[in-house]
Amino acid sequence: MRDLWRGISRDWTSGSEKPPPMPTPSDTFEATLPSALPGANFQAEVTVEWRGREPEAEAKIRAFVWDHLARWAAARRVTVASHLADLINARGVTETPVPQTCLVLTRLHVRIAVPAESLAVTTAWEVAERRATLEKQRRTDELHQLRWLRDEIFARPDMARMYWHLHHPADLRSMTDATFDQIAAQLGGDERVVSPQAEEDPISVLIGKFLAGLGADERRHLIGQLDRVFRSFDRTDLAGQLGDPHDRVGS
């Protein structure tokens, strides 16, 4: 009887044991990721783990992860590959549901390498950018220098003579040359450039169209109206510029 009880007890115990846990799905694959510069790509070794099972789960995980990594990489250059890997791996421990699936990404880890050709392309881009920046700065400085010479030096004969003397102290005779006056006259004779904003002011355009269509009597009537408007705003100075008072229409 005792042996029978022992046998039943063993059967009950063995039947209550939990089945071994299913292994966590995982995958490791290579991925080429674009960088911020065309022709310079990252090369990544990607390790992923996920939870959930459904048809083509591995392909869906790969597509989701590649899209996620590509968006991170596309904003950066290959010269910051190690920093990019640190950013991705720091976030890779957060569980992320895969859209339109029952899968959940539970781990993401990358190792990022930079091919020699990608580094060469990036270096060439950066050299070209530095040259363009220096050239732009050189042109800006030159333009400021020319404007300074035009407005502050050569537009004023006295300053132009002193500027010449500063750079040619032994040539005092040239300071009496009339050339300085001629240059100042030419620089000061240019018409003032009207700003694009003033040219495109819609109110000015409308007023111009309105005035262009008025006859002589209508213009005299308008002048009379403007006279009253200007004076009501205490702008007698403007009212006095409207023309001969005899041409205005009395109030």
Side-chain angles (χ1 to χ4, degrees):
M1 186 67 179
R2 186 175 299 173
D3 293 338
L4 177 61
W5 173 252
R6 289 174 180 172
I8 294 174
S9 178
R10 283 196 298 271
D11 292 341
W12 179 83
T13 303
S14 61
S16 64
E17 292 178 355
K18 296 181 180 180
M22 297 292 292
T24 301
S26 63
D27 185 27
T28 299
F29 61 94
E30 301 287 332
T32 299
L33 305 174
S35 75
L37 298 177
N41 299 321
F42 297 97
Q43 195 65 35
E45 180 186 85
V46 186
T47 301
V48 292
E49 295 179 1
W50 66 92
R51 184 174 64 249
R53 297 182 182 277
E54 66 174 62
E56 299 181 353
E58 181 178 299
K60 294 174 181 178
I61 287 289
R62 284 192 177 192
F64 171 73
V65 169
W66 186 92
D67 182 69
H68 175 76
L69 297 180
R71 284 187 281 109
W72 275 72
R76 296 168 173 83
R77 299 187 178 186
V78 297
T79 48
V80 296
S82 60
H83 177 62
L84 175 60
D86 291 341
L87 290 175
I88 294 173
N89 292 332
R91 292 175 174 243
V93 296
T94 303
E95 293 192 353
T96 306
V98 179
Q100 301 179 352
T101 73
C102 65
L103 306 174
V104 177
L105 183 67
T106 59
R107 180 174 180 267
L108 169 63
H109 185 271
V110 297
R111 295 175 59 188
I112 297 180
V114 178
E117 57 271 21
S118 296
L119 186 59
V121 169
T122 302
T123 301
W125 270 87
E126 292 179 346
V127 169
E129 286 176 340
R130 285 195 294 270
R131 289 177 178 173
T133 300
L134 291 174
E135 177 62 17
K136 182 179 180 180
Q137 185 61 48
R138 185 192 67 79
R139 292 181 179 179
T140 299
D141 293 343
E142 186 178 66
L143 181 59
H144 288 164
Q145 175 74 2
L146 291 174
R147 286 174 175 169
W148 175 75
L149 289 172
R150 180 196 65 188
D151 299 335
E152 303 295 334
I153 303 300
F154 293 116
R156 300 171 54 185
D158 57 334
M159 291 298 298
R161 287 182 169 88
M162 296 308 299
Y163 183 82
W164 177 271
H165 176 63
L166 180 65
H167 294 277
H168 305 83
D171 189 7
L172 294 176
R173 185 180 300 275
S174 295
M175 293 182 63
T176 61
D177 198 314
T179 303
F180 297 103
D181 301 279
Q182 296 171 4
I183 293 174
Q186 291 179 353
L187 292 178
D190 295 337
E191 296 182 358
R192 182 171 299 179
V193 178
V194 180
S195 65
Q197 182 177 0
E199 293 178 351
E200 299 174 0
D201 179 34
I203 302 300
S204 300
V205 174
L206 288 175
I207 293 175
K209 291 181 179 178
F210 175 71
L211 293 175
L214 295 180
D217 293 338
E218 293 171 326
R219 290 179 68 88
R220 283 196 296 271
H221 178 71
L222 176 62
I223 290 173
Q225 299 297 322
L226 288 176
D227 179 79
R228 287 193 289 271
V229 171
F230 289 159
R231 293 181 187 279
S232 68
F233 283 92
D234 295 327
R235 293 305 304 270
T236 56
D237 57 325
L238 297 179
Q241 299 177 35
L242 289 173
D244 190 340
H246 297 291
D247 293 334
R248 303 176 190 162
V249 177
S251 55

